[in-house]
Structures are given as C-alpha cells and as structure tokens.
Amino acid sequence: MEYNDLGKTGLKLSKLSYGASPLGGVFRNISEQDGIKTVHTALDLGINHIDVSPYYGLTVAETVLGKALKTVPRDKYVLSTKAGRYGSDFADFDFSAARIRTSLEESLARLQVDGVDILYLHDIEFGNLQQVFDEAIPCLMDLKKEGKIRYVGVTGYPIKIFAETIERFDIDCILTYCRYALHDTSLERLIPELDEKGVGIVNASPTAMGVLTSRGAPDWHPAHKDMLAAGAKAVDYCKQKGIDITQVALQFAIDHPSITSTLVGTANPANIEKNVKWAENKADPELVATLRSFFDGVPNTWPSGHPEY
Ligand code: NAD
C-alpha cells in the first residue's frame, strides 16, 4: 500500500481508504458481523484511514464502526467524521457552532474513541454558506485550537463551494465525491488551487456511489437517468469482456498524483481484499478511454443543495 501526505498536516494516508457509509446500510441491509470484519480486513491490509458521519444510517454507521474499532489500537488509523448533516431534507442540516460541538461529543461516544483526527462539515452546499463561513468553520478552528480535533475540512458536491471556502480559510483538507471517477473528472479544475494552498484532497466514491458496480446504483442515487443508463451500459460492456468494471473504476480514480487518498465503501470483506489488490496496478488506458466515452454528451453531474451553489 502506498501512503501519501495529506496537504500540510503531516498525516500520511493510505492511497486507498475505507468509507464507512455502507456500515449504516445505505446501499443494502448488511450483517453487522460482516461490517466489523470488513473494517478489520481493511486495517490488516494496510488501509490506515477511515471516514464516517453521523448521517450514514442515521448514526448506525458510527455505532458499528465504534464496535469494530474497540479492539484496534488508536494509533493504527486516522479517523474522520463529520458534523452538520443529520438527514436528507434542508431542515436536517445544522451548521450552528452549538450543534457542531454536541455532534462531535455524540460521535466520539458512538465511535468509542477520545478524539477524531479530522472533523468535516458535511455537505455545506445544503447549509447557509454565510453561517458556514461566519460560525461553522470558525467553530472547527476553535475545536482544533482546543485540541479536540486535529484537522479541519469541508465536504460537498459542487466544486464552487470548495473554491469559496479555500479562498477564505486555511483549512487542512477537503472531501469531494463523484468528481474524479470514470464518469466525471471535474475536480481537475480545482486541483491547481488546492495544490498551491497545500490543501489535502480526499476523493470519495470511485464507483460513483455504486453506478460503476455490477449491482448498479441504489434507488436514491441523485444522477440523471441518462447517466445511470450510460453507467449500466458501461457495466455491461465490461461484463461481456469478462472484466469487473469496479476494478477499472477504482484504478482510474486513485491514479492522480494530487489526490491524497480515495475512499471506497463496502461492508463485504472480500470486496476490500479485491480493492486493495486492484490498487496495486494501473488501469488499461485504452479501456479507460472507452469507458469514459460512454458518458460523452450525457448529463454526468446533478444538482446538490441550494441551487446557487
Ligand atoms: P463508492 O463509490 O465507494 O461505492 C460504494 C459501492 O461500491 C457499494 O455498493 C459497495 O458495495 C460497492 N463496492 C465496493 N467495492 C466493491 C467491489 N470490489 N466489488 C463490487 N462492488 C464494490 O461510494 P461511497 O461508499 O458513497 O463512497 C465511499 C465513501 O466516501 C463513503 O463511505 C463515505 O465515507 C465517503 N463519502 C462522503 C461523502 C460526503 O462527505 N459528502 C459523499 C460520498 C462518499
């Protein structure tokens, strides 16, 4: 496993990291035992970074992850969780300083740890950006000064929100999803600015949240139906050639020199084993070009949060 610097933080993250949202049953109902085994397999195979949120499975993912981490020495992993998102409606977001502080305490209790390494504001495009800038990010900076968290980040989907955030604040890292994968590479627009400022880049959802897997996208997937159809065609194309599309999707997403780490989620230990193995090699460029061409002219991004962002 390769390990890369996360911006200026001094943290070294495994190139492939573990996203714990499936532990909350967001893609399918899972067995808790398999979920716990998946976390242990990931750590045994050299993955040293785990991401979660109170939102995933409405606290379930943090609780299951806490059970898994209970037996693991704390210096074996870099842990991130998030604050601000607690559901899917606008009313389920709260970026007030008071809620961020209680949210962190609740997360620590569920995760059964004394601290997290990174605290992100979760999907800031659903909040009032004025409040995010005036109250939420300053609150994270205070928590960092108080030693309650080590590093500060924001997550979200629109590229614009990251540009605005890093222009105003010296944050440590961003977590972006579905923006550097076979269907869309629009994260590239922002990379020069992130690199110049030394902001660490965590890239999530190499399979575009299930689109580039043989199981396909979950019902709640926000993409346009034409993108989902293009994804299904790409999956079929690979199937006919006897290739697992997830392998190509993963190898493509992790192969960017500026991306510190790519988060992939699963609650199946066998998938983690495959993912770690696949991460050792690069994708065939010709196959990548063919798969990317399935998304040419297709609406490959979607609205997220307030329309102005
Ligand atoms: P993903 O692209 O990692 O896809 C997950 C899906 O891929 C699951 O259905 C899983 O079963 C399947 N999968 C994984 N490995 C597989 C394999 N080898 N073979 C077949 N199928 C496989 O999407 P994700 O889980 O949404 O993203 C990863 C993580 O990134 C999340 O768990 C979360 O931690 C983070 N994330 C954060 C945000 C945010 O902060 N806004 C958004 C998206 C994701």
Side-chain angles (χ1 to χ4, degrees):
M1 179 67 69
E2 265 177 53
Y3 299 86
N4 297 322
D5 291 320
L6 181 71
K8 302 175 286 192
T9 63
L11 291 178
K12 277 204 178 285
L13 304 187
S14 44
K15 194 180 175 78
L16 186 69
S17 291
Y18 179 65
S21 70
L23 299 185
V26 304
F27 290 97
R28 62 179 174 100
N29 289 329
I30 65 143
S31 119
E32 189 172 300
Q33 219 182 346
D34 282 353
I36 290 172
K37 195 162 169 225
T38 306
V39 176
H40 292 161
T41 305
L43 294 168
D44 288 347
L45 295 176
I47 288 177
N48 75 346
H49 172 41
I50 302 177
D51 174 68
V52 70
S53 163
Y55 169 55
Y56 301 147
L58 305 180
T59 74
V60 173
E62 283 191 335
T63 303
V64 176
L65 181 59
K67 290 181 190 175
L69 294 178
K70 212 172 162 179
T71 55
V72 182
R74 184 62 186 88
D75 62 354
K76 292 282 178 239
Y77 57 90
V78 172
L79 181 60
S80 60
T81 192
K82 315 192 183 83
R85 177 166 198 167
Y86 308 100
S88 298
D89 296 332
F90 282 105
D92 298 324
F93 287 77
D94 186 345
F95 291 106
S96 66
R99 183 69 189 105
I100 290 166
R101 282 179 178 273
T102 55
S103 185
L104 174 62
E105 293 307 323
E106 289 162 9
S107 291
L108 295 181
R110 285 189 289 266
L111 291 163
Q112 306 188 51
V113 292
D114 294 334
V116 290
D117 301 286
I118 306 166
L119 186 64
Y120 292 104
L121 297 174
H122 197 165
D123 293 344
I124 58 173
E125 71 270 22
F126 286 86
N128 172 337
L129 269 200
Q130 204 57 49
Q131 184 187 33
V132 168
F133 293 153
D134 291 349
E135 192 174 339
I137 296 182
C139 172
L140 292 197
M141 298 293 191
D142 287 345
L143 287 168
K144 183 175 171 178
K145 269 189 230 140
E146 293 162 26
K148 299 211 163 99
I149 58 174
R150 294 174 70 200
Y151 301 107
V152 164
V154 299
T155 87
Y157 181 71
I159 296 292
K160 197 175 148 197
I161 54 159
F162 295 116
E164 285 187 32
T165 304
I166 64 170
E167 211 177 282
R168 287 163 198 246
F169 296 96
D170 187 15
I171 60 168
D172 299 300
C173 50
I174 64 158
L175 191 166
T176 157
Y177 69 99
C178 292
R179 291 297 201 171
Y180 193 81
L182 286 174
H183 71 291
D184 176 25
T185 57
S186 48
L187 177 63
E188 283 179 311
R189 294 204 302 264
L190 191 67
I191 284 182
E193 219 177 319
L194 292 164
D195 280 350
E196 196 200 310
K197 291 189 171 5
V199 180
I201 308 173
V202 177
N203 176 35
S205 310
T207 79
M209 302 192 295
V211 174
L212 305 166
T213 65
S214 51
R215 191 168 62 228
D219 294 347
W220 50 260
H221 203 290
H224 191 280
K225 64 176 178 23
D226 292 352
M227 173 177 147
L228 298 178
K233 276 191 204 152
V235 171
D236 278 350
Y237 177 86
C238 285
K239 233 180 239 167
Q240 277 163 27
K241 293 204 162 313
I243 297 164
D244 190 329
I245 193 164
T246 305
Q247 171 174 356
V248 193
L250 192 84
Q251 289 174 338
F252 175 75
I254 64 174
D255 191 19
H256 192 295
S258 293
I259 292 176
T260 308
S261 186
T262 296
L263 289 163
V264 60
T266 177
N268 177 347
N271 279 350
I272 279 284
E273 285 172 10
K274 282 194 224 166
N275 294 346
V276 170
K277 190 131 200 56
W278 289 338
E280 287 169 7
N281 296 303
K282 286 182 187 280
D284 167 12
E286 231 174 87
L287 180 58
V288 164
T290 305
L291 294 177
R292 295 202 61 204
S293 73
F294 280 93
F295 299 95
D296 286 347
V298 167
N300 60 348
T301 63
W302 50 85
S304 178
H306 292 287
E308 63 269 36
Y309 310 137

